[in-house]
Structures are given as structure tokens and as C-alpha cells.
Amino acid sequence: MPDQPSSQPTLAPGKLAPPRAHPWQIARTELLERLATQIGGVVLLRAAPGFGKTTLLAQYLARCRHSGRPAIWLNLDRNDNDLSRLLRALAAALTPLGLGCDAKTDDALAWQTLDGLARHPAGIVIVLDEMEHLTDPAALDFISRLASQLGSHSQLLLGARHLPALPWHRWRLQGRLLELDASELGFSLEETGRFLGRDGLPVLAAADVHLLHSKTEGWVASLWLASLSLARQS
């Protein structure tokens, strides 16, 4: 049966923008530099909640836009586990960059989107957060095609709690994949020191900072809870 025209979905507030930066957030400078090396490829940030995937992606998006690189953000949810809705949400994100598509069928919209991205002279940074919501084979096939047809100056960044069913092995063999897991997303000892050394917290000895870092293994959520406890201490 041929594709039928689909109505434009109503996008949830905040779907096309990352969460607002928290004032206690610290810049993940070293990781941001690593992300910047994977131009023309795919970046996967995979970890349980609380490891700072979304924060790092948002910092990278801000860095790209500050430097003038075209970049879009799409926060996925369970409604996007449907190819029609996924395509139209992506088209809405691309519209401000002049790449919005008005095709009426899924096949035509997918083709226009992929062709426009491949031809974009400057390249586009595409951030898809919460990829764990996508399990539908058609939606995942489109993401696979999107990654495979990226222009040499474009970049696809994916945040996920677990590994989506995508051709990771092929991208690894092609040298087009950068993977960051919980062990790499956790704070370094230096980042832990900066996080615990901010205004409003008691001054900690280096040994105490080292102990907290060791006990939490750099897990950002645990360090956040520890800092809240420290803030209540005299």
C-alpha cells in the first residue's frame, strides 16, 4: 500500500532544544574536544541516567552554534518510535536551517531529508537524545541511512541508555564511530575537584576529594547528591 499523507504532528515543548544549563554545571572540556574530532561520523554516548549524557550533548551543541556550525537538537520520545512522526519531527528541527521538507509521503520526505543533508555545503551537526525510545525497525533503518549518508562535514550524535539496534560493527570497521560509555562519561578527578570546589560548598582537603571521587567512580548524579549534603554542613 502506498504511503498516505500524514498530518504535521504537534511537537512537545522543548523537543527541539536541550534542557537549560544548570548554574552548577562544569564544562567537560576534554570530552568536548574528543567529540569535535569525529566530523563526518557518528558519536554514541551510552550510559545509565545520571552520567551527564544530555549535559555533554547540550554543551557540544552550544559550542557548535557559537562557532557558527549549523546544529539541530531533537529530544526523542516514545511517539517518535513511528517513522512518520520521526521524519516530521526531524523536518521541523531542520526548517530553521532552510532544510525543511514539505513532502506528503514518508518515502518522499525521507529522500528529501537525506538528500538535503548530504548536499549541505557546511555540514550539519545532528543531536538525537534518548535514542532508547526507538525500537521500530523502520525508524531505526532511517537512522542507519541517515548516518551512512552523512556529508563529510556533518556529524550525528546519539545519546542512549542502552545500545539501539544499529549497524555499530560496520561503523567501527569504517572508523566512523566514537563511543563513550559510563567509564568515560564519569567525571575525572580534576573535574570532581572543580565540581566540589565551587562557591557555596565547604573547602575539602585533596584527600577528601579523592575519596569522594573514588567512592562515586565519577558518577555525576552521586557527586551531585554528595554536594547537596555538603552544602548543608557547617
Side-chain angles (χ1 to χ4, degrees), residues 136-201:
D136 178 68
L140 289 171
D141 179 68
F142 173 77
I143 299 298
S144 177
R145 292 167 59 198
L146 172 62
S148 298
Q149 297 181 35
L150 280 177
S152 59
H153 300 292
S154 292
Q155 194 175 23
L156 177 63
L157 297 99
L158 308 174
R161 297 183 182 185
H162 51 74
L163 198 64
L166 291 169
W168 307 109
H169 183 62
R170 185 174 76 225
W171 296 337
R172 290 188 192 104
L173 290 177
Q174 294 171 342
R176 300 184 62 245
L177 177 63
L178 171 63
E179 301 173 83
L180 300 179
D181 60 16
S183 64
E184 295 172 291
L185 288 168
F187 277 2
S188 66
L189 178 59
E190 187 272 336
E191 289 172 327
T192 296
R194 281 196 284 136
F195 183 73
L196 296 175
R198 64 185 187 271
D199 293 340
L201 294 181

Side-chain angles (χ1 to χ4, degrees), residues 63-82:
R63 169 177 167 152
C64 291
R65 287 177 171 171
H66 181 74
S67 66
R69 291 186 67 195
I72 64 168
W73 177 283
L74 184 56
N75 189 56
L76 300 171
D77 57 46
R78 62 184 181 181
N79 292 323
D80 298 310
N81 196 36
D82 171 86

Side-chain angles (χ1 to χ4, degrees), residues 90-103 109 112-113:
L90 184 59
L94 290 168
T95 295
L97 301 182
L99 289 177
C101 304
D102 57 1
L109 184 53
Q112 285 187 13
T113 300

